[in-house]
């Protein structure tokens, strides 16, 4: 109706009236519309405008005082069309208001009716999260007009949004309501009925005589049927992804050597309500094989080197897909390809084109045509998005430097280092669409690299209460993971503390009153001198435990266990065997004070022990990120040593407790020593190994495998094992509080410490104590992410686990393990750290195993 009225208005000056005349002049002179005549514009008025100024509208027409116009004419019609095209008006017309006495000048009037403005846009029928995202996509703001164009595009955006989620039957009803408060305004509500989610039930592959259905199904990354092997995949139908997946299915034929394979037709239909069936009909064609492969244009690398990377021999199946991966990349991260070979030597402008030279029967000759170009030098290294973190923190992580030759491996490593830093969103920096840019300039053989980082909250505030060890524990702590001592004296930087240098400062206090109190403080500088990756770590702690048992109202501090400790360490990144290796050296001091500590945790109940040790640790971490690694590995080997005090002794005690001299440490009889005398200076050597490998299976589905081993040894069999620093195996790896003196090892599906052996000791009133001196543990986890966002990371997992603990290395048997299986979920929140819950079932211990729930805060299993 609006369009019809617009047409009628536009024709007022070009159609002949029924009488052939219109008397509109102020002097009563008539205008003859049957004979077009030229006039001079004497003035232009506007009628009906509210939101737009009169001059704005006149400017849209292009009419100016003094210009010549012909009435009627196509020119006047085009002026009306020009104003109408702005979509701000419901009706537009131009009429002759009056003529002068000489009938050569005309006053024109532009008559418009503006579209009503929208005072409020709303969406109904969907959850609030969808409303927020849709409003961001629509970009609608109060005060704009509601035209047919706005209505159509808005409905289309909403429908596409829900089609991507699998709601292909989504309906949108734009509802226009007159605003009763604001004059000439309306309210627009998009009433959405997204309907039921439409999923794919069956995909039928027809004509695939030599390529298995499973291979074709796996090639379609986003279009999945309801088969058991697609259990972890979404079954929703996405029209855009479906187009790509059809091409991927054809490539699966190409990969099997069927060069001429094509999709003849496809059909989509409903097999039942909200369930789709898809038929894909293929023509395989003939199977082909490689015959002769030749290279031209290669001067940097000989043909033999290129053939070794290509790994294609005469007579191999004509697999174009694998050939392209070995030429251009796109396979596994560890795979090498010809393009990467050249790019790692600076040849960024390298190009290669495989050309089929001859096809005879089922054999294909291929010529690899290479254009090597010149090596590219790094020019500008740009870092964007670091609003909080200092730029030097990012620059010292990257391996690319201005003036260096471009190397693809260095660039990929730089992305990985930024993702692992912990200050930025790892998903964003690893996204090729927005995380980074390579900007080459072939005119001067240079390249600019742009790293687009996205800051994420990294500091953590912990105010919590938890249940562990049959008691309630309150925790207050803060961890600033981007601390800056350099800005310590800058008053403006205290918001609330100076940040930006990726240092770590942590303070933590735990207590439940009389039973348990712990205070820890630590500081870590990842680049001590600013130029080399030498890290400095300092930590101090104090722990006090008593025999109070709040659960039954028993308050008693006559039984006390206290620990004082300090640790200082230096870490250096190595260049050999590769620069993923880090060597740590640390010195630590601990003092254990036991007063009537009779709960069998340690070998004695009264006395003071000192522990001075040196630790050497070699780590190699090549995972792609910290929170949810998809690929890479993490290996660690450490050796902790104390001085061999017992080997330096030449004295002993007799049965009366008198000190006597002996010839050698071999003559010392510790049977006559009290616990305070024997364990005043503890001694041991402690060996630990841990290795984890992350393998990306399909999409974001990740397989994690881990093996661990620990051994606490002694220098002198007569002195025996150390009463401290042993292993306590079983349970969730936490008891609600931090403790020192033993290392807690989680093994899900079993009660806490239940797999730790007990041994006789003469210094305990109970007659026995924990004696975990050797352990092993093996874990297989299947992980799948639910949310991967800077604000939170959530993933679910299923696990198989096994391990055990022994009191003596002579009894160690790596195959004598306690097995378990279960499922769990992990939630990482920047303010709280890692939280999780697991359910495990222990198969091999009827007393301490079977069904167990485990909770964790801040540690991985």
């Amino acid at each position: 109706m609006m369009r019809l009225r617009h047409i009628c208005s536009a024709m007022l000056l070009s159609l002949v009236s029924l009488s052939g005349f219109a008397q509109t002049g102020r002097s009563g002179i008539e205008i003859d519309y049957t004979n077009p005549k030229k006039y001079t514009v004497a003035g232009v008025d506007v009628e009906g405008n509210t939101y737009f100024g009169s001059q704005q509208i006149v400017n849209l027409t292009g009419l100016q005082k003094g210009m010549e116009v012909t009435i009627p004419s196509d020119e006047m019609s085009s002026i009306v069309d020009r104003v109408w095209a702005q979509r701000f008006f419901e009706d537009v017309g131009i009429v002759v208001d009056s003529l002068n006495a000489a009938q050569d000048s005309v006053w024109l009037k532009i008559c418009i009716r503006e579209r009503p403005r929208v005072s409020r846009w709303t969406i109904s029928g969907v959850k609030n999260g969808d409303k927020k995202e849709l409003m961001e996509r629509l970009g609608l703001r109060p005060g704009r007009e509601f035209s047919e164009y706005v209505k159509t595009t808005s409905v289309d955006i909403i429908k596409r949004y829900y089609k991507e989620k699998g709601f292909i039957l989504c309906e949108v009803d734009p509802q226009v309501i007159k605003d009763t408060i604001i004059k000439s305004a309306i309210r627009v509500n998009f009433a959405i009925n997204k309907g039921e989610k439409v999923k794919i039930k069956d995909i039928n592959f027809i004509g695939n005589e030599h390529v298995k259905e499973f291979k074709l199904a796996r090639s379609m990354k986003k279009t999945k049927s309801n088969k058991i092997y697609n259990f972890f995949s979404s079954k929703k139908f996405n029209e855009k992804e479906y187009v790509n997946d059809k091409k991927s299915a054809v490539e699966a034929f190409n990969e099997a050597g069927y060069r001429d394979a094509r999709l003849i037709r496809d059909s989509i239909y409903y097999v039942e309500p909200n369930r789709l069936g898809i038929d894909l009909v293929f023509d395989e064609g003939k199977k082909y094989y490689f015959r002769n492969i030749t290279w031209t244009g290669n001067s940097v690398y000989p043909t033999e080197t290129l053939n070794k990377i290509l790994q294609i021999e005469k007579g191999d199946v004509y697999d174009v897909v694998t050939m392209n991966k070995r030429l251009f990349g796109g396979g596994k991260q560890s795979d090498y390809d010809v393009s990467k070979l050249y790019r790692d030597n600076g040849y960024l402008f390298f190009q290669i084109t495989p050309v089929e030279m001859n096809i005879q029967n089922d054999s294909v000759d291929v010529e690899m045509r290479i254009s090597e170009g010149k090596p590219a030098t790094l020019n500008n290294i740009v870092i964007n998005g670091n609003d909080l973190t200092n730029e030097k923190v990012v620059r010292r992580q990257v391996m690319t430097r201005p003036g260096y030759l471009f190397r693809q491996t260095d660039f990929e490593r730089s992305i990985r280092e930024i993702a692992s830093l912990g200050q930025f969103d790892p998903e964003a920096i690893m996204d090729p669409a927005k995380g980074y840019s390579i900007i080459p300039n072939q005119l001067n053989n240079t390249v600019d690299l742009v790293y687009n980082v996205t800051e994420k909250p990294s500091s953590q505030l912990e105010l919590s209460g938890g249940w562990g060890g049959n008691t309630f524990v309150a925790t207050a702590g803060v961890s600033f993971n981007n601390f800056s001592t350099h800005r310590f004296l800058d008053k403006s930087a205290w918001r609330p503390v100076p940040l930006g240098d990726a240092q770590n400062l942590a303070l933590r206090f735990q207590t439940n009153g009389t039973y348990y109190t712990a205070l820890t403080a630590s500081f870590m500088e990842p680049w001590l001198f600013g130029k080399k990756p030498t890290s400095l770590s300092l930590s101090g702690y104090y722990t006090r435990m008593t025999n109070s048992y709040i659960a039954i109202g028993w308050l008693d501090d006559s039984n006390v266990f206290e620990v004082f400790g300090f640790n200082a360490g230096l870490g250096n990144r190595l260049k050999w065997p590769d620069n993923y290796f880090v060597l740590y050296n640390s010195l630590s001091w601990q003092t254990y004070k036991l007063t009537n500590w009779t709960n069998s945790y340690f070998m004695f109940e009264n006395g003071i022990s000192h522990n001075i040790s040196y630790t050497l640790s070699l780590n190699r971490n090549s995972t792609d990120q910290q929170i949810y690694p998809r690929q890479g590995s993490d290996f660690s080997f450490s050796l902790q040593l104390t001085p061999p005090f017992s080997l330096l002794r030449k004295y002993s005690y007799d049965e009366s407790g008198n000190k006597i001299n002996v010839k050698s440490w071999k003559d010392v009889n510790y049977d006559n020593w009290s616990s305070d005398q024997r364990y005043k200076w503890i001694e041991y050597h402690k060996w630990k190994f841990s290795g984890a490998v992350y393998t990306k299976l399909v999409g974001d589905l990740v397989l994690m495998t881990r093996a661990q081993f620990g051994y606490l040894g002694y220098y002198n069999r007569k002195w025996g094992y150390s009463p401290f620093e042993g292993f306590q195996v079983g349970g969730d790896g936490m008891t609600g509080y931090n403790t020192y003196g033993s290392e807690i090892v989680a093994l899900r599906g079993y009660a806490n410490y239940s797999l730790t052996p007990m041994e006789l000791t003469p210094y305990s009133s109970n007659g026995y104590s924990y004696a975990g001196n050797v352990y092993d543990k093996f874990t297989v986890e299947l992980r799948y992410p639910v949310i991967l966002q800077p604000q939170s990371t959530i993933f679910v997992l299923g696990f198989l686990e096994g391990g055990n603990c022994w009191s003596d290395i002579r009894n160690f048997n790596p195959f004598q393990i306690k097995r378990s299986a279960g499922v769990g979920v992990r939630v990482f929140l920047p303010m709280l750290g890692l939280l999780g819950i697991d359910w495990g079932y222990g198969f091999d211990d009827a007393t301490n195993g079977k069904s167990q729930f485990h909770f964790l805060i801040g540690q991985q299993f």
Side-chain angles (χ1 to χ4, degrees):
M1 183 65 182
M2 292 182 181
R3 182 63 179 169
L4 178 60
R5 296 175 67 180
H6 153 64
I7 295 173
C8 294
S9 300
M11 294 176 63
L12 283 176
L13 298 177
S14 57
L15 297 178
V16 180
S17 65
L18 292 175
S19 63
F21 295 93
Q23 187 173 349
T24 56
R26 285 178 298 178
S27 58
I29 300 175
E30 297 178 340
I31 299 174
D32 187 353
Y33 283 99
T34 60
N35 298 310
K37 184 179 178 182
K38 290 186 177 181
Y39 297 92
T40 300
V41 177
V44 182
D45 292 330
V46 180
E47 183 180 88
N49 56 312
T50 301
Y51 298 104
F52 288 89
S54 297
Q55 191 58 46
Q56 282 182 287
I57 298 173
V58 172
N59 291 341
L60 289 174
T61 65
L63 294 171
Q64 296 179 4
K65 186 175 181 180
M67 70 180 296
E68 255 190 10
V69 295
T70 301
I71 302 177
S73 67
D74 292 338
E75 178 188 6
M76 299 303 294
S77 297
S78 65
I79 291 175
V80 173
D81 288 336
R82 190 185 310 148
V83 178
W84 174 264
Q86 303 302 312
R87 299 195 299 270
F88 298 126
F89 312 105
E90 288 185 337
D91 199 1
V92 180
I94 300 179
V95 297
V96 175
D97 189 32
S98 59
L99 298 174
N100 65 350
Q103 298 190 25
D104 57 0
S105 296
V106 62
W107 280 265
L108 299 174
K109 181 183 290 184
I110 305 172
C111 301
I112 64 170
R113 184 164 69 248
E114 294 175 325
R115 296 186 187 277
R117 291 297 189 265
V118 180
S119 61
R120 186 181 180 188
W121 304 89
T122 57
I123 295 173
S124 62
V126 295
K127 59 186 180 181
N128 290 333
D130 286 357
K131 290 179 183 179
K132 183 178 179 181
E133 188 167 347
L134 283 171
M135 291 303 291
E136 290 177 356
R137 291 196 180 195
L138 292 171
L140 299 174
R141 299 289 182 268
R144 70 173 298 178
E145 80 290 344
F146 185 61
S147 63
E148 190 68 25
Y149 172 80
V150 173
K151 181 176 76 172
T152 302
T153 54
S154 298
V155 170
D156 183 58
I157 289 172
I158 294 172
K159 285 187 174 182
R160 279 191 283 114
Y161 173 79
Y162 281 105
K163 280 184 178 180
E164 291 174 2
K165 292 179 173 287
F167 298 95
I168 62 177
L169 301 178
C170 174
E171 295 293 334
V172 182
D173 179 22
Q175 300 171 341
V176 179
I177 306 169
K178 185 177 180 181
D179 196 316
T180 57
I181 300 176
I182 302 175
K183 184 180 179 182
S184 301
I186 58 174
R187 297 181 179 181
V188 178
N189 176 61
F190 294 100
I192 301 174
N193 178 16
K194 62 183 183 180
E196 295 291 330
K197 183 176 285 189
V198 178
K199 296 184 178 181
I200 302 170
K201 183 178 181 181
D202 300 314
I203 299 179
N204 302 311
F205 300 100
I206 304 168
N208 55 314
E209 297 179 4
H210 300 94
V211 180
K212 293 182 179 180
E213 177 182 322
F214 179 72
K215 182 178 178 66
L216 296 173
R218 284 196 61 185
S219 69
M220 302 178 73
K221 303 300 182 184
K222 299 293 184 179
T223 308
K224 300 292 186 180
S225 65
N226 192 24
K227 294 289 181 68
I228 186 65
Y229 49 73
N230 293 325
F231 181 78
F232 290 102
S233 301
S234 172
K235 315 303 184 301
K236 69 181 181 182
F237 178 77
N238 187 315
E239 189 173 352
K240 187 195 305 185
E241 298 294 346
Y242 175 61
V243 174
N244 296 329
D245 282 339
K246 287 191 292 184
K247 296 178 182 177
S248 298
V250 174
E251 288 179 356
F253 283 97
N254 299 152
E255 195 171 359
Y258 294 91
R259 169 185 174 273
D260 302 327
R262 60 193 181 96
L263 178 64
I264 299 175
R265 64 179 182 275
D266 66 296
S267 56
I268 304 172
Y269 53 90
Y270 283 96
V271 293
E272 57 186 69
N274 303 318
R275 293 295 180 268
L276 293 177
I278 300 176
D279 290 343
L280 299 173
V281 183
F282 296 95
D283 177 15
E284 285 186 337
K286 186 167 59 175
K287 189 171 185 177
Y288 290 84
Y289 301 87
F290 283 102
R291 189 167 62 180
N292 298 315
I293 298 178
T294 56
W295 301 80
T296 61
N298 55 307
S299 61
V300 177
Y301 295 103
T303 299
E304 293 76 13
T305 300
L306 301 177
N307 279 330
K308 285 181 180 179
I309 296 176
L310 190 62
Q311 299 179 46
I312 296 177
E313 302 291 338
K314 185 175 183 179
D316 287 352
V317 171
Y318 189 66
D319 179 358
V320 179
V321 176
T322 301
M323 179 184 72
N324 287 334
K325 287 180 180 179
R326 292 172 184 170
L327 291 176
F328 307 105
K332 296 181 180 179
Q333 188 183 36
S334 58
D335 292 345
Y336 216 57
D337 57 80
V338 175
S339 293
K340 193 170 185 179
L341 176 69
Y342 273 91
R343 286 178 172 230
D344 271 352
N345 201 17
Y347 289 89
L348 177 63
F349 308 110
F350 160 86
Q351 292 181 347
I352 182 170
T353 306
V355 179
E356 295 177 345
M357 299 299 294
N358 186 25
I359 302 174
Q360 186 174 5
N361 297 325
D362 62 352
S363 300
V364 182
D365 294 337
V366 180
E367 182 177 88
M368 307 296 180
R369 297 177 180 175
I370 293 177
S371 173
E372 293 176 333
K374 294 183 179 180
T377 303
L378 295 173
N379 186 22
N380 297 313
I381 309 298
V382 182
I383 298 169
N384 295 323
N386 54 313
D387 303 322
L388 177 63
T389 305
N390 291 331
E391 187 166 314
K392 68 176 183 180
V393 173
V394 187
R395 289 197 177 275
R396 69 193 185 192
Q397 295 298 120
V398 301
M399 306 292 181
T400 51
R401 300 283 191 277
Y404 286 19
L405 280 180
F406 174 85
R407 294 186 72 245
Q408 182 72 23
T409 300
D410 288 345
F411 176 67
E412 293 174 357
R413 175 69 183 276
S414 299
I415 297 295
R416 181 258 176 197
E417 290 295 325
I418 295 174
S420 300
L421 188 59
Q423 314 303 329
F424 309 108
D425 178 14
E427 300 297 325
I429 188 64
M430 296 174 70
D431 185 356
K434 59 182 181 181
Y436 52 84
S437 300
I438 300 176
I439 307 173
N441 186 342
Q442 201 162 0
L443 294 177
N444 57 11
N445 297 310
T446 62
V447 57
D448 294 340
L449 300 181
V450 180
Y451 300 100
N452 299 311
V453 299
T454 303
E455 296 269 10
K456 71 170 186 178
S458 59
S459 297
Q460 298 174 6
L461 174 65
E462 183 179 1
L463 295 171
S464 64
W467 185 263
N470 296 316
T471 183
F472 181 82
V473 182
T475 303
V478 62
S479 177
F480 301 105
N481 296 320
N482 199 6
F483 192 71
S484 174
T485 55
H486 179 72
R487 304 178 65 195
F488 199 81
L489 300 179
D490 183 0
K491 293 182 179 180
S492 63
W494 286 83
R495 296 180 300 176
V497 295
L499 299 174
D501 284 346
Q503 298 168 339
N504 177 270
L505 176 66
L507 300 170
R508 199 165 190 258
F509 176 74
Q510 286 183 301
T511 186
N512 77 334
T514 309
Y515 172 63
Y516 171 73
T517 300
L519 177 64
T520 61
S522 63
F523 173 79
M524 195 272 289
E525 164 59 76
W527 287 62
L528 180 58
F529 302 109
K531 295 183 179 181
K532 293 184 179 181
T534 299
S535 64
L536 168 68
S537 59
L538 302 170
S539 64
Y541 45 85
Y542 168 74
T543 299
R544 184 177 188 271
M545 299 176 66
T546 70
N547 204 34
S548 299
Y549 195 21
I550 294 178
I552 60 174
W554 178 267
L555 301 178
D556 182 13
D557 60 358
S558 61
N559 307 81
V560 181
F561 170 55
E562 293 179 286
V563 182
F564 308 83
F566 179 78
N567 180 279
L570 287 174
N572 292 280
R573 182 184 293 171
L574 305 180
K575 296 181 179 180
W576 184 89
D578 62 36
N579 56 11
Y580 286 107
F581 281 89
V582 178
L583 183 67
Y584 289 99
N585 298 267
S586 66
L587 287 173
S588 65
W589 157 76
Q590 288 175 316
T591 294
Y592 305 97
K593 183 178 180 181
L594 285 75
T595 306
N596 300 321
W597 194 246
T598 58
N599 59 6
S600 302
Y601 275 98
F602 307 110
M603 294 180 182
F604 65 99
E605 300 172 350
N606 291 280
I608 297 177
S609 292
H610 302 285
N611 178 10
I612 299 176
S613 65
Y614 164 73
T615 302
L616 178 68
S617 177
L618 182 63
N619 298 342
R620 187 186 188 275
N621 187 341
S622 62
T623 56
D624 56 350
Q625 57 172 284
Q626 291 180 340
I627 306 303
Y628 189 78
R630 296 177 176 84
Q631 54 194 1
S633 60
D634 185 5
F635 289 91
S636 175
F637 171 78
S638 68
L639 173 60
Q640 187 175 359
L641 303 168
T642 64
F645 297 106
S646 68
L647 301 183
L648 304 176
R649 292 190 181 112
K650 292 186 178 181
Y651 66 89
S652 186
Y653 293 92
D654 59 21
E655 294 180 356
S656 300
N658 299 314
K659 188 175 182 180
I660 59 175
N661 294 324
V662 294
K663 292 182 179 181
S664 168
W665 60 270
K666 297 180 181 180
D667 299 322
V668 177
N669 182 3
Y670 289 100
D671 293 340
N672 298 326
W673 291 50
S674 67
S675 61
D676 197 26
Q677 294 167 339
R678 184 171 181 174
Y679 298 124
K680 182 177 181 180
W681 295 98
I682 65 173
E683 60 180 55
Y684 58 86
H685 51 89
K686 188 175 183 180
W687 307 72
K688 291 198 302 180
F689 169 80
S690 175
V693 177
Y694 300 87
T695 305
K696 187 176 181 180
L697 299 179
V698 178
D700 288 325
L701 182 65
V702 174
L703 177 69
M704 188 278 291
T705 55
R706 178 186 288 128
Q708 295 172 254
F709 172 79
Y711 169 54
L712 181 70
Y714 51 75
Y715 300 110
N716 183 352
R717 178 170 289 278
K718 286 187 176 183
W719 190 85
Y721 286 104
S722 168
F724 302 104
E725 298 301 324
F727 308 101
Q728 294 182 4
V729 179
D732 48 27
M734 59 175 284
T735 59
Y737 47 82
N738 290 329
T739 187
Y740 298 93
S742 60
E743 185 171 335
I744 300 174
V745 179
L747 207 158
R748 293 164 285 187
Y750 297 92
N752 287 343
Y753 318 147
S754 62
L755 302 182
T756 309
M758 308 285 280
E759 291 292 338
L760 296 174
T761 173
Y763 301 116
S764 172
S765 59
N766 295 326
Y768 56 88
S769 66
Y770 283 118
N773 298 314
V774 187
Y775 89 95
D776 65 2
K777 177 183 171 184
F778 307 95
T779 304
V780 176
E781 276 188 3
L782 200 61
R783 301 176 172 185
Y784 190 77
V786 178
I787 297 176
L788 293 175
Q789 298 292 338
Q791 298 81 7
S792 63
T793 298
I794 302 175
F795 63 90
V796 294
L797 60 89
F799 67 86
L800 298 174
E801 202 158 65
N804 210 343
C805 188
W806 296 265
S807 61
D808 195 287
I809 188 65
R810 293 172 295 183
N811 301 325
F812 172 65
N813 184 348
F815 303 104
Q816 188 183 20
I817 62 174
K818 306 294 185 181
R819 301 164 299 166
S820 66
V823 294
V825 62
R826 298 289 181 273
V827 179
F828 179 81
L829 301 174
M831 288 297 291
L832 297 177
L834 187 67
L835 310 174
I837 181 173
D838 289 303
W839 172 83
Y841 189 90
F843 298 105
D844 299 316
D845 191 329
T847 303
N848 300 300
K850 296 189 177 180
S851 179
Q852 299 277 343
F853 280 96
H854 304 286
F855 300 89
L856 69 96
I857 300 176
Q859 89 262 24
Q860 291 274 23
F861 284 108

